[in-house]
Amino acid sequence: MKNPFVYGKRVSGQAFFDRAKVKSDIRNVLDGGSNVLLYGPRRYGKSSLIGEVLSEIRAGGGCCAELNMMEVASLEDFVARFARIVYRELAPVSGALNLIAGFLKRMSPSIGLDEEGKPELRVSFSSGRATVDNLREVLMLPERLCGEKRRIVIAIDEFQEVSELGLGAQFERIMRSVIEKQSHVSYVFLGSKTHMLERMFSSKSRPFYNSAQKFLLLRPPEDESAAFLVERFSSSSIKLDPCLAEKMVRLVDNVPYYLQALGSWTFNAVRGRDADEVSDSDVADGFDSMYSAERILLEDAFRSHPESQRLLMRAIAIEPTGKFDESYRERHGLKSTSTVNTALRRLIADSTIEKTAVDYRLGDPLLAYYLAEC
Ligand SMILES: Nc1ncnc2c1ncn2[C@@H]1O[C@H](COP(=O)(O)OP(=O)(O)O)[C@@H](O)[C@H]1O
Ligand SMILES: [Mg+2]
């Protein structure tokens, strides 16, 4: 029997739950021609949510294109991929090349075939390197190809990574000035580095100030998460007691990725004993299996931080706190207040640590478990 839980990739349809309100709010902003910033910690479901929104737009006959900055290696790669996704959506007919060549004057566009044998736009640069003029031209391409009648929504995932393209603030300035001139293109900017994106879009001195309607994606309501687990098990004719479902939600701190991962491993445990009802020990076994599967990634995530941050992460995992007074620092072997503050700022900036109303805690419940345990 097929495991009804899906994780580690974008989910849609049956595997997607809740988010109806934010989905329709985002739709409304895009339909009104404005841009959207959807941000929040990793694994809360941003990419899945936008996938659903774009599917709806496509189902209604609209045009959408997507780019993930995590896959972009360089400025040249960004320009080439951007041209490719826009071409795929707006100009997949023969004859369009001349038109595009007219728009991308400073590049040499050509048509090749992708892995499935479909035509694909390729661009090359005269000196092998992309310039800011190439960037400006390619960013204008969607508006030019849209004409008067069509509109397009372009989603750029992990948008904060544009800071790695080597253009510094110039990238933001160029993109903002192009966006302002476009009336047929709406952008969705997505990202997990919440503080970086907040600064980019909310600070008056930055080019993207007020250029998009902001949506912070939080955890789903706990009762809906629990109901989702019950429903998914029941789709495979397995009974899950609602109280046990609530316990599962608490075990993974209601983070959507881990809800599905725990569901999946627990499902395997139930199937392993050929049962039709989830027991406490299935959940315990499911948690252990999930933890073993994730452990190497957790180790890597921990090791990727410098020592001062590692010490602080461990301290917060063992004892979440709102302030780092002398006795707390002593208890956890932390150095001076200024060292702690610098580490804390960095960890909040990359969304490793979250500030709640009462204390600081690790955003990843399994990382917290790992650090408290080892
Ligand atoms: N609305 C949802 N319903 C069910 N599962 C979800 C939902 N959103 C996210 N998930 C789970 O979380 C995982 C990560 O989702 P993803 O959209 O990649 O998050 P993000 O882009 O915020 O990192 C998915 O593979 C899925 O298991
Ligand atoms: Mg994502």
Side-chain angles (χ1 to χ4, degrees):
M1 187 186 287
K2 197 165 173 282
N3 193 316
F5 295 96
V6 181
Y7 63 103
K9 59 179 181 187
R10 265 182 11 182
V11 290
S12 60
Q14 290 275 300
F16 184 87
F17 72 104
D18 178 53
R19 310 297 198 199
K21 166 90 172 72
V22 58
K23 207 164 78 177
S24 84
D25 289 348
I26 289 176
R27 257 317 279 279
N28 289 339
V29 174
L30 295 174
D31 289 348
S34 300
N35 305 314
V36 164
L37 167 66
L38 178 64
Y39 67 121
R42 286 173 64 222
R43 298 174 160 182
Y44 276 28
K46 300 174 297 298
S47 302
S48 299
L49 174 61
I50 285 305
E52 289 282 287
V53 171
L54 299 190
S55 299
E56 278 183 21
I57 295 176
R58 283 202 183 99
C63 297
C64 310
E66 294 178 73
L67 185 62
N68 187 344
M69 288 306 299
M70 285 300 184
E71 293 165 3
V72 172
S74 61
L75 181 61
E76 290 73 31
D77 198 24
F78 176 85
V79 172
R81 282 172 188 258
F82 192 90
R84 197 188 310 151
I85 59 162
V86 171
Y87 170 84
R88 199 185 296 148
E89 203 56 37
L90 293 176
V93 288
S94 58
L97 186 60
N98 281 346
L99 188 70
I100 290 175
F103 294 142
L104 301 181
K105 290 193 197 69
R106 295 181 173 85
M107 285 166 261
S108 313
S110 60
I111 304 291
L113 294 180
D114 70 10
E115 285 150 10
E116 291 167 16
K118 292 204 198 107
E120 172 180 89
L121 183 69
R122 298 188 180 148
V123 296
S124 54
F125 308 95
S126 46
S127 63
R129 303 302 303 262
T131 64
V132 291
D133 289 328
N134 297 141
L135 177 64
R136 219 174 261 122
E137 274 190 357
V138 84
L139 290 174
M140 287 300 290
L141 190 63
E143 176 80 6
R144 289 178 162 155
L145 288 177
C146 269
E148 274 313 302
K149 291 206 190 77
R150 279 187 297 185
R151 293 192 45 77
I152 185 169
V153 173
I154 300 181
I156 307 187
D157 210 341
E158 300 298 352
F159 183 65
Q160 73 277 336
E161 302 302 312
V162 296
S163 64
E164 302 291 315
L165 291 179
L167 286 182
Q170 206 179 6
F171 183 95
E172 289 172 46
R173 277 199 299 277
I174 292 172
M175 187 150 186
R176 173 73 197 246
S177 74
V178 172
I179 286 176
E180 270 172 1
K181 294 187 196 110
Q182 302 187 330
S183 52
H184 297 83
V185 188
S186 293
Y187 280 92
V188 184
F189 304 106
L190 298 110
S192 307
K193 307 241 169 100
T194 49
H195 272 67
M196 225 165 140
L197 288 161
E198 243 161 36
R199 275 203 306 276
M200 201 187 244
F201 284 82
S202 303
S203 135
K204 281 192 180 153
S205 59
R206 298 285 287 269
F208 273 86
Y209 174 65
N210 262 356
S211 63
Q213 178 125 352
K214 296 188 269 294
F215 294 87
L216 176 61
L217 194 68
L218 300 170
R219 291 170 170 86
E222 284 192 8
D223 53 345
E224 291 185 26
S225 297
F228 172 76
L229 293 174
V230 172
E231 182 282 318
R232 289 282 74 204
F233 275 109
S234 131
S235 75
S236 297
S237 307
I238 293 173
K239 193 166 170 293
L240 170 65
D241 182 84
C243 291
L244 192 49
E246 282 166 22
K247 187 175 156 195
M248 290 174 77
V249 172
R250 282 194 302 275
L251 260 180
V252 294
D253 220 0
N254 196 17
V255 171
Y257 170 91
Y258 288 125
L259 277 176
Q260 296 246 27
L262 180 60
S264 175
W265 287 107
T266 302
F267 175 86
N268 291 344
V270 180
R271 296 299 305 162
R273 52 183 194 93
D274 232 356
D276 59 6
E277 178 161 4
V278 183
S279 70
D280 275 296
S281 65
D282 292 324
V283 175
D285 289 350
F287 187 88
D288 286 347
S289 307
M290 172 178 77
Y291 181 56
S292 310
E294 298 280 336
R295 211 187 140 101
I296 290 180
L297 289 177
L298 299 169
E299 266 168 26
D300 287 349
F302 181 55
R303 305 297 328 167
S304 69
H305 294 273
E307 184 185 312
S308 58
Q309 292 177 24
R310 290 204 301 268
L311 288 171
L312 185 60
M313 285 160 73
R314 173 164 292 142
I316 289 176
I318 295 168
E319 187 186 353
T321 183
K323 57 179 185 342
F324 302 92
D325 55 24
E326 204 178 332
S327 78
Y328 184 93
R329 293 203 312 277
E330 233 167 58
R331 258 196 319 284
H332 296 288
L334 298 174
K335 304 205 173 89
S336 67
T337 312
S338 69
T339 312
V340 168
N341 284 342
T342 308
L344 185 64
R345 258 201 320 278
R346 302 242 159 91
L347 289 168
I348 290 176
D350 73 9
S351 301
T352 302
I353 284 179
E354 284 173 13
K355 189 174 187 323
T356 72
V358 285
D359 57 20
Y360 295 99
R361 50 186 60 221
L362 286 157
D364 184 325
L366 221 59
L367 185 59
Y369 180 82
Y370 163 71
L371 292 178
E373 200 214 17
C374 66

